Amino acid sequence: MFDAKKLLDQFLGSQVPGLSGSLRDRAGQAGQIAKENPLKTGAIVAALLGTKTGRDIAGNVATVGGIAAIAGLGYLAYKNYQSGQSPQAVAQPNPQAQSPVLMPPTDSPFHPQWPALSNDFALTLVRAMIAAAKADGHIDEAERANIMDKVHAVDLGAEAEAFIAKELANPIEIDELVAAARTEEQRVEVYAASRLTIDPDTRTERGYLDMLAGRLGLADALIDHIDATVSAAKVKA
């Protein structure tokens, strides 16, 4: 089995080539690289999956990347939800602020090294992102071929490429995603990964996310916090 956590890094960019310096410096560099060549950044999820949001994912999320980015977004949303903070308080990003993607404390189930965040669960998060990208039904056979050409160009490895091709071709299996999320924290992360992949600006996409949230059993207020946190983390390139 290939390293699913590494694949998440390549999707979301914790090891972006050519980036150095402080967190804020790296955010600016990631945004510039995404403008010039999105496939050079680790934030390649949109280029691979044909979504509309890939360059928005660069910036803040790319400087953290992978399972740490999803865990950090989930942790922040859950923390704000539990504290009773209004989702609107984080809905508008502050361009002068530090990245809103926080590293969860080591004793938190959201921490990337928590035992439950295994390679299998990282694979679930990749599946969730691919499923979300397919939610509007626009990925037909021709589009799949185009996506796989881009996947091959990034050189993810034969096993990872075969996995992505299979996931793109197969029907969305929400039951499997829900069953794989065994804790509330994992359910938050599955939804956060899905929401990170798409901006729900069509009825189909919003309907998919609403259905996923309902199947995951997440409270409406918690969903509002995840939506607001992910929106704030995306930086327009």
Side-chain angles (χ1 to χ4, degrees):
M1 172 59 67
F2 60 89
D3 188 339
K5 291 184 180 181
K6 181 179 179 181
L7 182 59
L8 268 178
D9 287 344
Q10 290 166 309
F11 263 54
L12 291 175
S14 69
Q15 297 177 347
V16 182
L19 298 193
S20 60
S22 70
L23 182 66
R24 187 172 295 180
D25 290 341
R26 293 201 307 273
Q29 292 171 44
Q32 185 61 36
I33 291 173
K35 287 180 181 179
E36 295 172 355
N37 184 353
L39 290 179
K40 276 190 177 180
T41 75
I44 59 177
V45 62
L48 298 183
L49 302 179
T51 72
K52 301 180 291 293
T53 61
R55 294 188 180 188
D56 296 348
I57 291 175
N60 287 333
V61 177
T63 62
V64 180
I67 199 167
I70 296 169
L73 291 169
Y75 168 73
L76 180 59
Y78 196 69
K79 176 174 173 285
N80 289 337
Y81 163 70
Q82 288 191 315
S83 70
Q85 185 175 344
S86 167
Q88 287 72 31
V90 296
Q92 296 298 323
N94 179 358
Q96 301 303 318
Q98 291 288 338
S99 167
V101 183
L102 301 178
M103 177 61 72
T106 56
D107 62 349
S108 168
F110 283 103
H111 193 276
Q113 299 305 316
W114 195 259
L117 291 181
S118 62
N119 195 68
D120 285 346
F121 185 67
L123 205 62
T124 295
L125 294 177
V126 174
R127 284 194 170 107
M129 296 176 76
I130 294 175
K134 291 162 53 180
D136 66 359
H138 80 282
I139 301 180
D140 56 17
E141 185 174 348
E143 180 63 15
R144 286 202 303 271
N146 179 50
I147 291 167
M148 291 312 300
D149 284 343
K150 294 175 181 178
V151 170
H152 185 67
V154 179
D155 191 22
L156 300 177
E159 195 175 2
E161 287 185 24
F163 165 77
I164 292 172
K166 181 179 178 182
E167 289 299 312
L168 286 171
N170 287 345
I172 295 172
E173 295 288 352
I174 288 186
D175 288 345
E176 292 183 6
L177 295 178
V178 172
R182 296 184 174 89
T183 67
E184 187 167 34
E185 291 83 5
Q186 288 184 338
R187 292 191 285 273
V188 167
E189 290 182 323
V190 166
Y191 182 84
S194 304
R195 178 61 181 81
L196 189 59
T197 306
I198 56 175
D199 283 325
D201 52 8
T202 69
R203 289 184 179 180
T204 302
E205 291 169 333
R206 182 70 265 174
Y208 174 78
L209 289 174
D210 287 345
M211 178 174 62
L212 178 62
R215 295 291 296 278
L216 290 168
L218 298 175
D220 289 346
L222 178 52
I223 291 297
D224 290 342
H225 272 285
I226 300 170
D227 285 342
T229 302
V230 170
S231 293
K234 290 185 177 183
V235 175
K236 299 294 182 183

